[in-house]
């Protein structure tokens, strides 16, 4: 093992916070992590992300399979960061309300939009362009936030309340 603590930010602990707080924390931490990763990413990881993106193309109507690819894609990027604690923290935030992510990915066109976001992210990483990577991630995270808020609203749950 890598000596990393997978329970650092367990889904149980993270899910006690409201959506806006988690989104804010995720934006803040993720900007730093992915900007760093853009400078440090190696060719082997870029190749892995290209393979992942190719696989994602075949998951456009399979939310569960897509989410497995999505997690692998995000974690590979985060782990390129020079700060393993911050990377693990961001991975913890990624798991927030995972059961709603499956619902979100079942909406028409949702997987395709995420796939396009991932294509933008990968292009920016390939260019080792931190600003472009941060911008692509911000766009991606804002869409995830909006979609999750809409799902919580449809379930009659206030996105501002704790779970």
């Amino acid at each position: 093992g890598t000596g990393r603590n997978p329970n650092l930010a367990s889904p149980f602990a993270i899910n006690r916070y409201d959506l806006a707080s988690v989104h804010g924390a995720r934006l803040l931490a993720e900007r730093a992590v992915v900007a760093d990763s853009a400078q440090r990413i190696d060719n082997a990881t870029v190749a892995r992300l290209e393979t992942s993106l190719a696989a994602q193309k075949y998951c456009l109507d399979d939310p569960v399979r897509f989410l497995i690819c999505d997690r692998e894609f995000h974690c590979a990027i985060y782990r390129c960061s020079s700060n393993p604690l911050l990377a693990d923290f961001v991975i913890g935030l990624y798991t927030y309300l995972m059961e709603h992510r499956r619902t979100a990915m079942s909406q028409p066109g949702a997987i395709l939009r995420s796939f396009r976001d991932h294509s933008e992210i990968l292009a920016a990483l390939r260019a080792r362009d931190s600003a472009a990577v941060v911008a692509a991630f911000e766009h991606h995270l804002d869409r995830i936030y909006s979609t999750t808020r809409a799902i919580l609203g449809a379930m009659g749950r206030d996105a501002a309340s704790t779970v």
Side-chain angles (χ1 to χ4, degrees):
T2 59
R4 293 199 152 156
N5 178 3
N7 298 319
L8 176 74
S10 73
F12 175 75
I14 296 281
N15 284 348
R16 292 197 323 249
Y17 294 90
D18 63 277
L19 179 62
S21 295
V22 173
H23 176 66
R26 192 172 172 193
L27 263 181
L28 198 63
E30 207 150 320
R31 278 185 193 118
V33 167
V34 302
D36 187 32
S37 293
Q39 297 305 307
R40 295 171 43 86
I41 196 165
D42 58 18
N43 292 332
T45 304
V46 170
R48 262 179 57 215
L49 294 174
E50 282 168 352
T51 302
S52 173
L53 199 64
Q56 290 171 38
K57 221 180 276 188
Y58 298 101
C59 304
L60 296 180
D61 55 359
D62 188 343
V64 173
R65 213 168 127 215
F66 181 80
L67 282 169
I68 292 165
C69 286
D70 184 72
R71 180 180 170 81
E72 187 183 278
F73 185 85
H74 280 254
C75 290
I77 296 166
Y78 304 150
R79 292 221 161 94
C80 291
S81 159
S82 59
N83 187 327
L85 172 58
L86 206 49
D88 284 346
F89 177 65
V90 170
I91 290 167
L93 294 175
Y94 170 89
T95 66
Y96 181 72
L97 296 180
M98 194 44 91
E99 70 274 20
H100 298 310
R101 198 85 55 81
R102 282 192 288 277
T103 306
M105 283 301 156
S106 302
Q107 310 296 311
I111 295 175
L112 184 59
R113 285 189 292 274
S114 268
F115 172 78
R116 286 184 180 142
D117 289 353
H118 289 171
S119 301
E120 262 181 59
I121 289 166
L122 182 53
L125 284 167
R126 233 186 259 115
R128 310 302 198 269
D129 183 340
S130 290
V133 171
V134 168
F137 261 97
E138 282 177 355
H139 173 78
H140 190 46
L141 295 181
D142 282 341
R143 214 169 31 65
I144 291 165
Y145 176 60
S146 303
T147 311
T148 308
R149 273 184 65 178
I151 287 163
L152 290 177
M155 289 168 60
R157 282 173 54 191
D158 179 7
S161 69
T162 53
V163 176

